[in-house]
Amino acid sequence: MAWNPFQDAANSKPLFVTIYATVLVGIALSSVYVFSAIYSGKTIYSIPWSSSSLSRVDAPQLEHALNFSRPFAGVGVTGPASQPQSIWTKPIWEVPPPGTKMPPLKAFRLTKELVSHRVKDNIIIVTFGNYAFMDFIMNWVKHLTDLGLSNFLVGAMDTKLLEALYWKGVPVFDMGSHMSTIDVGWGSPTFHKMGREKVILIDSMLPFGYELLMCDTDMVWLKNPLPYFARFPEADILTSSDQVVPTVVDDRLENWQQAGAAYNIGIFHWRPTNSTKKLAKEWKEILLADEKIWDQNGFNELVRKQLGPSVDEESGLVYAYDGNLKLGILPASIFCSGHTYFVQVMHQQLRLEPYAVHTTFQYAGTEGKRHRLREGLVFYDEPEYYDSPGGFLSFKPSIPKRLLLEGKHDVTSHFSLVNYQIKQIRTALAIASLLNRTLVMPPLWCRLDRLWFGHPGILEGTMTRQPFLCPLDHVFEVNVMLKELPEEEFGPAIHFKEYSFLDNSLLPKQIKESWLDVQLCHSGSQDCHVTNKTSRPGVLRLPKHSSEETLKTVLSSFKDVKVIQFSSMQDAFEGFSDKTRETKFRNRMKRYVGIWCCVLDHTPGHIYYDMYWDEKPNWEPAPPKTPQDDHPPW
């Protein structure tokens, strides 16, 4: 009988072991990203922005463990056959038998013997995190086992995560961090301590003699990368980068002379050579000596102490660091950043198959990262995510051609396009609130990119098309939309899903087949009147400018229908009749949109989106004139 690895493993409760320790070391769940680009003759370097999954979120309860409904291609993936069965050699996802007691914490101590049980072809793949990122870690593991890979380990920064992964059948070791189980928040003192743990871990594992593929938890493996790494046996380190301008158009390593962006330590492969061991030791020492140095900056500064010459004419490797270390920069088109994957969609344009995507270049913290992966259909959620007690509401966005394609691509045309969509989404959120349904967001189109510094709209040399399908976090504050706001001030919560939700293969068949199309029509035209009778099976004609009472009365007859899809949101709703509810709704909506950034040569250069822009006749997209004006429009 196939076992679902995301169901509770044992009937009896695990025996939790509490260990008191005197040392607290942090860990970088992922790097804050340094963007280094060369355009217009200028180098933008060492600009930190988004951490990997490091905004404040509440950790899920242990008893509500993830239950993924998709059959697991990786079930039964085993470690080396020569090893006797133990907690380290059993197949991934094989849970301990009912009645099993939790082993003592010391059994999970990181040792060469422990790692040897999971190594294959002398390679070990490692990520790490705390319990706040259990779902990211499970997603990371699931993608690897889908690819048939079992030679990996997860480092647990807290005992809650260690216990949870053990009972799920995921190979885990104790980081010895004993840190908080919550998201510590980017820039906090604990966050900076966390950056050191990755380096300490690399320095500890390289002497074991195994090749080490170190990963952040907010990245996803889409294709087995090990054959790619094997193409460069002379490389000491193969690192990902924040490069957004392609230097090659195939699957070769980036041209190191042209790749000026920061090396990103969210994905990098180390071989246990004298040079890498020396680098790891020095990297650790400078970070421990100065708590203000950010781990990724420290790595970049050390590796770039010497850069060049090329190792040879063919491989793409370059001598770096001490003149002996051989470095390769992984192509950003297939070892993708959040920009090359979600914004440029570089791999599709170059007809390449991506190996990985890392949620860099994004906004709205951890929630934004999770939403990005969901939009891309590469995040496994528990079955409950794919259903909603009240059902779903969706609509077909209507955008005039002139707003998408005509005229110059500038701030004015960008805001005209986005504002037109914001108004429709605002109406949809209102109707979803009235009907107590979860809104499936529409695809969102932008003319201009969003970055964290002044730019001309699209970075020169990138493959970003105009217009392009932009991530929701480019316009909306996804983290605020998911936050529990006080109902007495902001009204009831409004749940939403990513635009690709209804295309997800994990969506149950019974939801896909329970569908009502609502076709808006002009009142008084043929067959256009208020009724709850369908004009033909699965189709309801509804007059435009329907009132709150009409929508609730008519559509309550279809409360058992899982998906109600409107043909449009243009003039679908005339407004709330309950003014108190409307006030609360408006308070909520005003906080749902963020900023566009940034206008060149202007401080501040960002421009606030306004959910109620259409109520202000003289509204225009302009940055704040003074620091006193620099606040959201509420």
Side-chain angles (χ1 to χ4, degrees), residues 9-42:
N11 296 326
S12 59
K13 294 183 178 179
L15 175 63
F16 296 115
V17 180
T18 304
I19 303 292
Y20 291 92
T22 58
V23 180
L24 175 63
V25 228
I27 171 178
L29 284 178
S30 98
S31 7
V32 182
Y33 305 103
V34 175
F35 180 70
S36 173
I38 299 178
Y39 82 91
S40 301
K42 297 179 181 179

Side-chain angles (χ1 to χ4, degrees), residues 387-449:
D387 198 357
S388 173
F392 302 97
L393 175 73
S394 70
F395 71 96
K396 296 179 179 179
S398 173
I399 305 174
K401 176 186 174 182
R402 62 178 177 81
L403 292 179
L404 271 173
L405 303 174
E406 295 178 5
K408 184 181 178 181
H409 293 292
D410 57 19
V411 168
T412 300
S413 62
H414 169 75
F415 272 83
S416 294
L417 171 62
V418 173
N419 282 347
Y420 192 88
Q421 297 170 89
I422 284 177
K423 186 178 178 181
Q424 294 181 55
I425 292 170
R426 185 184 77 201
T427 300
L429 287 165
I431 295 176
S433 177
L434 289 175
L435 302 180
N436 193 29
R437 286 181 173 267
T438 296
L439 177 64
V440 179
M441 298 295 286
L444 190 64
W445 290 92
C446 294
R447 282 182 177 246
L448 302 184
D449 197 358

Side-chain angles (χ1 to χ4, degrees), residues 3 5 9 90-96 141 164-171:
W3 175 75
K90 65 184 181 181
I92 308 293
W93 304 125
E94 183 178 301
V95 299
V141 172
L165 293 178
Y166 170 77
W167 293 110
K168 295 296 184 186
V170 174

Side-chain angles (χ1 to χ4, degrees), residues 94-204:
E94 183 178 301
V95 299
T100 300
K101 292 184 178 181
M102 183 76 192
L105 196 60
K106 65 182 181 181
F108 298 90
R109 190 175 301 151
L110 180 64
T111 63
K112 181 176 181 179
E113 181 184 6
L114 181 154
V115 178
S116 70
H117 293 313
R118 294 249 59 98
V119 164
K120 184 178 180 181
D121 298 329
N122 208 49
I123 299 174
I124 188 71
I125 309 169
V126 176
T127 194
F128 47 90
N130 71 346
Y131 187 75
F133 305 98
M134 175 76 172
D135 59 343
F136 280 92
I137 291 168
M138 294 294 272
N139 189 60
W140 184 85
V141 172
K142 175 64 171 66
H143 278 276
L144 283 175
T145 56
D146 278 355
L147 294 170
L149 293 170
S150 61
N151 52 323
F152 60 81
L153 286 166
V154 177
M157 298 163 57
D158 58 75
T159 54
K160 190 173 183 180
L161 176 66
L162 187 147
E163 291 161 348
L165 293 178
Y166 170 77
W167 293 110
K168 295 296 184 186
V170 174
V172 59
F173 65 91
D174 180 23
M175 295 281 291
S177 306
H178 305 288
M179 71 166 290
S180 170
T181 60
I182 64 174
D183 188 336
V184 298
W186 186 89
S188 67
T190 305
F191 166 80
H192 288 296
K193 291 179 182 179
M194 289 165 57
R196 278 70 184 145
E197 277 267 338
K198 176 187 287 185
V199 189
I200 293 170
L201 186 57
I202 293 171
D203 183 59
S204 298

Side-chain angles (χ1 to χ4, degrees), residues 7 215 234 385 530:
Q7 290 177 345
C215 317
E234 297 300 314
Y385 180 80
V530 177

